[in-house]
């Protein structure tokens, strides 16, 4: 299905799901409100004509405040349908003061570790995740390293870091 | 996961009953293929659950990407999946070229295919050699490394490095093939094809002990494979007919005659360790066919650097671009706001997703089978931890 | 070759010092511990394989357990998460023990020295190192040369680098 058909199909089933659409992007994506994500994700996976069986990648992005735009954190999901060979990007834009996003780990088990990494490195908390804890940094690490304002500590457990 | 949780979840508990204990495997262990820690819950013989712990090689690649220009990032991509450095370079270069709308010359496309496939063979040789090594077969490991050294000699002659190349640049390549390189590679292809049939297969692939250790072990059914994000030989070992080189093209593979290799349960069940291993052996052969065709078809004239821009400045936008490495789907999600350096580069490493399946694949298996399953999944911690 | 041995007159007896004999024995049978962390581990594996063959220098086997290993070749980047394990493994090795730091990352943090928030900038910050092998990754021949340097140190021809740290 082409991107426009995908959006039409989604809007027919869930009128409120697509907040913004970006067909012109290098990898076409839609912006989704976080409250809409669980229902939309289930539709995308289970509807036979959409059939997004593979979650290719789930990423977190930190966008610092710039001019009028507030500081935000994005949780970006890229989906692929092996049967229909179409792709879709979903972006959930979260306020940096409240970076909570629903988890899709129940629908796509591969998202489990991707969401843990997003939490570890960017601090986005995923509601409903079975085991949200750090994955790459040690459990007692402080801070979220991929944030733009992250300051690495001088030592860790007595070992110098510089 | 404690015992109570396991029971509540209805997991298949080991048959012997008795108490469960937690055993630690790694991060320093000869068979974990790097610094991986596996927390095994077992009754001493059978595994009830595995909880992998990673991050022991987290080298902050994504943080580095935010302060480096795209040409400076290429050497760092080498170091993620260090066994298939050419393929890592290629993935990033293709992602940048798509954003820039850059078309590389025909000669560059062909040479990229040749080095990527040579690297695929080299990587599979390590995977196959260590697969056997973990199970106690020392000889195939030496034979695999002997053949791999020949490929590394080619790379050294082409670009100066044995393991980490910085060869595939955005828009081109760093060096052209030297005089006589084509003949050497073609001679290697003939030599190696004979080696697979006459040496590797009788010694390892169809060895009774190897089959017994791998067949019907760690079965991943096809339906689970997509959900768990498997890709590459691990996905195709479960019988799923999907290969990015054919199904989501990023290069000129459609011009060549080659087959996508699938696991068919020849020795046991479809999706067992032997199938994943056998797919790698078949893929090495297919890579030889591709290399021969690419070398025959490649233009001899032209400068490999002619399309390399003097300055790589990515436009505003974001892209998710994926390529097929020896381990599976390597994806780069690049976000740029038009500056000299990208705002965010997220790497979707194939082994990161492949490793997730070790828990479900190992339930009910013996402790020794965990080693076989890990070997067949072919993980590289450099790309898992980045 | 100047050997500190002398032949005793009138019989098949040679006289030498126990220290020399012991040092030769150690130098000619260094068993490394399998401690490959990252890319350098692959070159270490290649050094142990057929073409470069570490075994002909006495490193016949790589021992996975520190209890049976003579020297620890730290091959790859040491991260903060791994650092405590490196120290623990070093302490578990029995004397005499030696450490080779292989590759740029183990020497000084390597390419990750500037922005690596999780990378230990050199394994010599936690354990004493005897030989540093530069390279990213070092060629297997460089590892062979590093081990030869280590043998010189064992034989007393070169001073021990980490001696001060070890006696502290």
């Amino acid at each position: 299905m082409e991107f426009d058909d995908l959006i039409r199909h989604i809007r027919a089933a869930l009128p409120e799901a697509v907040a913004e659409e970006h067909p012109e992007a290098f990898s076409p994506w839609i912006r989704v409100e976080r409250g809409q994500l669980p229902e939309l994700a289930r539709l995308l996976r289970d509807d036979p004509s959409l059939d997004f069986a593979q979650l290719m990648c789930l990423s977190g992005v930190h966008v610092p405040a710039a001019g009028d735009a507030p500081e935000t954190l994005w949780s970006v999901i890229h989906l692929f349908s092996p049967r229909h060979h179409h792709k879709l990007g979903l972006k959930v834009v979260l306020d940096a003061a409240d970076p909570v996003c629903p988890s899709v780990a129940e629908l796509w088990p591969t998202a489990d570790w991707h969401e843990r990494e997003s939490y570890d490195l960017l601090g986005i908390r995923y509601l409903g995740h079975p085991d949200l804890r750090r994955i790459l940094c040690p459990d007692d690490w402080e801070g979220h390293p991929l944030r733009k304002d992250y300051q690495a500590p001088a030592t860790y457990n007595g070992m110098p870091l510089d | 996961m404690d015992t109570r949780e396991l029971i509540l979840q209805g997991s298949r508990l080991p048959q012997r009953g008795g108490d469960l204990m937690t055993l630690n495997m790694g991060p320093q262990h000869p068979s974990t293929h790097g610094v991986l820690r596996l927390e095994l819950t077992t009754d001493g013989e059978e595994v009830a659950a595995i909880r992998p712990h990673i991050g022991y090689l987290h080298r902050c690649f994504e943080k580095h990407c935010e302060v480096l220009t795209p040409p400076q990032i290429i050497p760092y991509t080498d170091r993620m999946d260090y066994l298939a450095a050419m393929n890592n370079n290629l993935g990033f270069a293709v992602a940048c070229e798509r954003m820039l709308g850059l078309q590389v010359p025909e000669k560059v496309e062909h040479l990229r295919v040749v080095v990527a496939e040579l690297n695929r063979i080299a990587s599979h040789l390590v995977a196959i050699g260590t697969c056997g090594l973990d199970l106690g077969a020392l000889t195939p490991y030496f034979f695999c490394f002997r053949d791999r050294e020949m490929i590394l000699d080619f790379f050294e002659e082409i670009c100066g490095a044995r393991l980490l190349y910085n060869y595939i640049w955005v828009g081109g390549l760093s060096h052209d093939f030297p005089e006589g390189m084509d003949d050497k590679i073609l001679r290697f292809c003939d030599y190696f094809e004979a080696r697979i049939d006459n040496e590797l297969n009788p010694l390892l692939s169809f060895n009774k002990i190897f089959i017994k250790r791998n067949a019907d072990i760690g079965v991943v059914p096809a339906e689970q494979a997509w959900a768990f994000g498997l890709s590459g030989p691990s996905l195709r070992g479960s019988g799923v007919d999907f290969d990015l080189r054919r199904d989501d093209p990023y290069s000129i593979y459609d011009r060549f005659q080659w087959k996508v290799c699938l696991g068919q349960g020849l020795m046991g069940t479809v999706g067992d360790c032997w199938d994943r291993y056998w797919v790698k052996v078949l893929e090495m052969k297919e890579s030889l066919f591709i290399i021969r065709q690419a070398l025959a078809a490649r233009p001899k004239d032209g400068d490999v650097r002619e399309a390399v821009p003097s300055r790589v400045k990515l436009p505003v936008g974001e892209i998710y671009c994926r390529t097929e490495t020896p381990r599976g789907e390597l994806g780069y999600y690049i976000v740029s706001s038009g500056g000299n350096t990208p705002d965010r580069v997220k790497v979707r490493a194939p082994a990161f997703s492949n490793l997730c399946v070790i828990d479900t694949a190992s339930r009910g298996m013996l402790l020794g089978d965990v080693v076989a399953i890990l070997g067949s999944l072919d993980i590289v911690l450099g790309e898992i931890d980045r | 070759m100047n050997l500190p041995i002398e032949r005793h007159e009138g019989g098949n007896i040679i006289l030498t010092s126990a220290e020399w004999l012991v040092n030769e024995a150690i130098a000619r049978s260094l068993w490394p511990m399998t401690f490959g962390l990252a890319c350098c581990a692959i070159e270490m594996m290649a050094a142990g394989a057929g073409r470069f063959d570490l075994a002909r220098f006495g490193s016949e086997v790589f021992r996975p357990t520190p209890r049976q290993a003579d020297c620890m070749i730290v091959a790859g980047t040491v991260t903060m998460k791994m650092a405590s394990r490196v120290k623990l493994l070093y302490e578990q090795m029995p004397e005499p023990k030696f450490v080779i730091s292989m590759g740029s990352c183990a020497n000084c943090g390597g390419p990750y020295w500037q922005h690596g928030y999780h990378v230990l900038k050199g394994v010599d910050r936690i354990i004493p190192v005897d030989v540093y092998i530069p390279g990213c990754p070092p060629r297997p021949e460089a590892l062979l040369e590093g081990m030869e340097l280590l043998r010189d140190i064992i034989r007393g021809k070169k001073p021990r680098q980490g001696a001060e740290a070890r006696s502290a």
Side-chain angles (χ1 to χ4, degrees):
Chain A
M1 252 199 240
E2 292 300 322
F3 184 76
D4 295 323
D5 300 319
L6 280 171
I7 304 303
R8 215 170 301 127
H9 192 102
I10 295 171
R11 281 211 164 106
L14 292 171
E16 306 290 318
V18 182
E20 270 172 44
E21 49 190 279
H22 293 264
E24 77 293 347
F26 298 109
S27 299
W29 57 277
I30 56 174
R31 188 172 71 77
V32 180
E33 293 293 336
R34 68 178 172 190
Q36 301 286 330
L37 183 63
E39 242 189 298
L40 175 62
R42 193 166 288 279
L43 172 76
L44 289 171
R45 188 193 69 160
D46 295 337
D47 186 321
S49 48
L50 297 172
D51 197 30
F52 284 101
Q54 187 199 20
L55 182 133
M56 295 192 285
C57 184
L58 189 152
S59 331
V61 185
H62 179 223
V63 182
D68 288 333
E71 186 188 358
T72 53
L73 285 159
W74 303 346
S75 178
V76 186
I77 301 173
H78 287 96
L79 299 169
F80 175 69
S81 169
R83 207 205 302 175
H84 303 299
H85 280 243
H86 47 225
K87 295 183 203 169
L88 184 63
L90 307 175
K91 185 186 291 188
V92 182
V93 178
L94 308 162
D95 192 4
D98 179 32
V100 181
C101 182
S103 165
V104 298
E106 195 199 352
L107 296 169
W108 294 284
T110 181
D112 185 328
W113 278 23
H114 283 94
E115 286 177 351
R116 276 179 64 190
E117 184 189 329
S118 186
Y119 164 69
D120 182 5
L121 299 178
L122 284 140
I124 300 175
R125 286 197 309 282
Y126 290 90
L127 274 180
H129 191 280
D131 183 22
L132 194 67
R133 56 193 165 90
R134 288 192 185 268
I135 188 169
L136 294 178
C137 294
D139 290 328
D140 56 353
W141 196 261
E142 280 170 18
H144 300 285
L146 277 183
R147 295 229 180 160
K148 304 287 183 191
D149 52 359
Y150 176 72
Q151 289 291 329
T155 61
Y156 171 71
N157 283 358
M159 292 177 282
L161 248 173
D162 50 1
Chain B
M1 219 186 296
D2 65 9
T3 319
R4 190 181 148 70
E5 282 175 36
L6 277 172
I7 296 169
L8 288 174
Q9 279 202 8
S11 294
R12 185 185 146 194
L13 287 178
Q15 299 304 302
R16 286 171 190 74
D19 293 333
L20 292 176
M21 62 173 132
T22 310
L23 273 186
N24 190 52
M25 188 173 157
Q28 186 261 350
H29 191 279
S31 302
T32 50
H33 294 257
V35 280
L36 168 69
R37 179 173 160 230
L38 295 177
E39 202 183 309
L40 307 167
T41 309
T42 171
D43 70 346
E45 279 292 344
E46 288 183 12
V47 171
I50 296 187
R51 213 185 192 199
H53 295 260
I54 59 173
Y56 293 92
L57 197 55
H58 177 53
R59 295 183 282 190
C60 330
F61 168 78
E62 294 173 358
K63 192 78 179 176
H64 281 81
C65 286
E66 294 170 11
V67 294
L68 298 169
T69 63
Q72 292 173 320
I73 293 176
I74 301 263
Y76 285 82
T77 61
D78 275 323
R79 284 149 178 81
M80 282 194 306
D81 178 358
Y82 33 82
L83 292 175
M86 291 287 190
N87 291 277
N88 284 26
N89 289 356
L90 179 60
F92 189 73
V94 167
C96 291
E97 284 155 13
R98 281 200 183 157
M99 282 185 100
L100 292 166
L102 205 55
Q103 186 64 36
V104 296
E106 279 295 303
K107 184 177 181 183
V108 169
E109 289 275 27
H110 284 81
L111 293 185
R112 279 182 177 183
V113 166
V114 172
V115 293
E117 294 307 308
L118 276 175
N119 215 177
R120 192 180 306 273
I121 298 174
S123 171
H124 282 336
L125 280 171
V126 178
I128 288 169
T130 51
C131 207
L133 186 69
D134 290 343
L135 301 176
L138 197 51
T139 309
Y141 165 81
F142 286 114
F143 287 172
C144 289
F145 268 69
R146 172 203 60 198
D147 296 327
R148 183 169 171 268
E149 288 290 334
M150 296 182 200
I151 299 179
L152 298 190
D153 281 342
F154 297 150
F155 288 145
E156 198 181 349
E157 219 178 307
I158 294 169
C159 65
R162 279 169 51 95
L163 196 69
L164 307 169
Y165 314 109
N166 188 19
Y167 182 64
I168 299 182
W169 288 357
V170 177
L173 305 169
S174 69
H175 296 79
D176 196 352
F177 275 20
E179 200 62 48
M181 198 73 234
D182 288 26
D183 293 324
K184 288 187 193 165
I185 297 179
L186 288 169
R187 276 204 300 276
F188 169 78
C189 291
D190 295 332
Y191 157 85
F192 188 59
E193 199 176 351
R195 286 289 171 193
I196 299 178
D197 292 327
N198 301 331
E199 198 178 72
L200 182 66
N201 285 345
L203 194 59
L204 190 63
S205 316
F206 301 125
N207 180 301
K208 245 197 254 183
I209 304 174
F210 187 75
I211 293 172
K212 233 169 172 253
R213 288 292 307 264
N214 279 300
D216 294 319
I217 303 289
V219 177
V220 180
E223 319 82 60
Q224 267 188 23
W226 279 121
F228 274 96
L230 285 190
S231 53
S234 304
L235 176 68
R236 292 191 281 281
S238 297
V240 178
D241 189 359
F242 186 77
D243 189 315
L244 286 172
R245 293 173 285 176
R246 179 196 64 191
D247 297 320
D248 197 356
Y250 54 91
S251 184
I252 54 169
Y253 287 94
D254 54 324
R255 298 191 202 171
F256 309 123
Q257 303 282 334
W258 59 285
K259 284 194 334 271
V260 173
C261 314
L262 301 178
Q264 290 162 323
L266 284 176
M267 295 292 163
T269 325
V270 177
D272 60 14
C273 289
W274 197 87
D275 271 351
R276 289 191 281 274
Y277 160 87
W278 187 236
V279 165
K280 293 191 191 80
V281 176
L282 294 175
E283 274 189 5
M284 288 201 298
K285 272 197 153 167
E286 293 300 321
S287 289
L288 293 172
F289 298 150
I290 297 173
I291 291 170
R292 285 195 188 107
Q293 292 171 73
L295 284 174
R298 79 160 178 110
K300 298 278 192 282
D301 301 316
D303 181 11
V304 294
R305 290 198 197 179
E306 66 187 18
V308 174
S310 56
R311 216 166 138 230
V312 178
K313 205 167 175 188
L314 296 174
V316 177
E318 44 190 271
I319 192 173
Y320 178 77
C321 178
R322 52 186 189 163
T323 56
E324 181 87 22
T325 65
R327 254 138 227 101
E329 172 185 331
L330 173 69
Y332 286 93
Y333 173 57
I334 305 178
V335 179
S336 167
S337 56
N340 289 325
T341 65
D343 285 349
R344 172 86 166 102
V345 174
K346 152 90 189 199
V347 177
R348 187 262 189 217
F352 186 76
S353 300
N354 288 357
L355 186 58
C356 296
V357 88
I358 193 158
D359 187 22
T360 41
S362 310
R363 302 249 171 114
M365 298 279 139
L366 299 177
L367 286 179
D369 296 331
V370 173
V371 168
I373 297 168
L374 204 52
S376 72
L377 286 175
D378 189 18
I379 54 167
V380 168
L381 268 301
E383 69 171 3
I384 294 179
D385 292 341
R386 278 154 282 135
Chain C
M1 188 164 72
N2 272 336
L3 299 175
I5 56 176
E6 49 184 86
R7 204 175 190 92
H8 190 266
E9 271 197 43
N12 286 333
I13 301 173
I14 55 171
L15 296 173
T16 180
S17 71
E19 192 186 342
W20 180 88
L21 206 58
V22 167
N23 284 341
E24 275 302 308
I26 296 173
R28 286 169 192 242
S29 67
L30 278 170
W31 283 7
M33 187 168 74
T34 55
F35 205 47
L37 298 167
C39 348
C40 287
I42 308 297
E43 289 294 58
M44 188 170 69
M45 282 160 64
R51 180 184 280 192
F52 302 102
D53 193 14
L54 214 48
R56 61 193 156 120
F57 297 108
S59 304
E60 179 62 37
V61 281
F62 278 68
R63 307 309 291 173
T65 166
R67 307 285 188 195
Q68 297 169 1
D70 290 307
C71 84
M72 179 198 236
I73 305 179
V74 183
T77 324
V78 182
T79 59
M80 287 315 192
K81 204 167 181 178
M82 193 65 195
S84 54
R85 276 79 170 179
V86 174
K87 198 155 183 357
L88 186 65
L89 286 165
Y90 175 74
E91 283 161 5
Q92 285 179 342
M93 284 168 73
E95 289 278 358
K97 55 188 173 184
F98 311 96
V99 175
I100 297 179
S101 163
M102 179 182 177
S104 224
C105 289
N107 290 348
C108 62
Y112 309 101
W113 69 274
Q114 200 174 16
H115 303 288
Y117 52 80
H118 192 241
V119 171
L120 185 69
K121 313 296 189 299
V123 77
D124 55 2
R125 294 190 176 204
I126 47 172
I127 55 178
V129 170
D130 293 296
V131 175
Y132 297 84
I133 305 178
C136 189
R139 292 184 58 97
E141 288 101 323
L143 176 59
L144 295 178
E145 184 181 344
M147 296 204 70
E148 192 54 42
L149 272 172
L150 183 61
R151 275 187 275 277
D152 279 343
I153 292 176
I154 295 170
R155 290 178 180 129
K157 289 191 191 142
K158 289 196 166 67
R160 201 117 189 229
Q161 297 273 7
E164 286 166 20
R166 287 165 65 79
S167 56

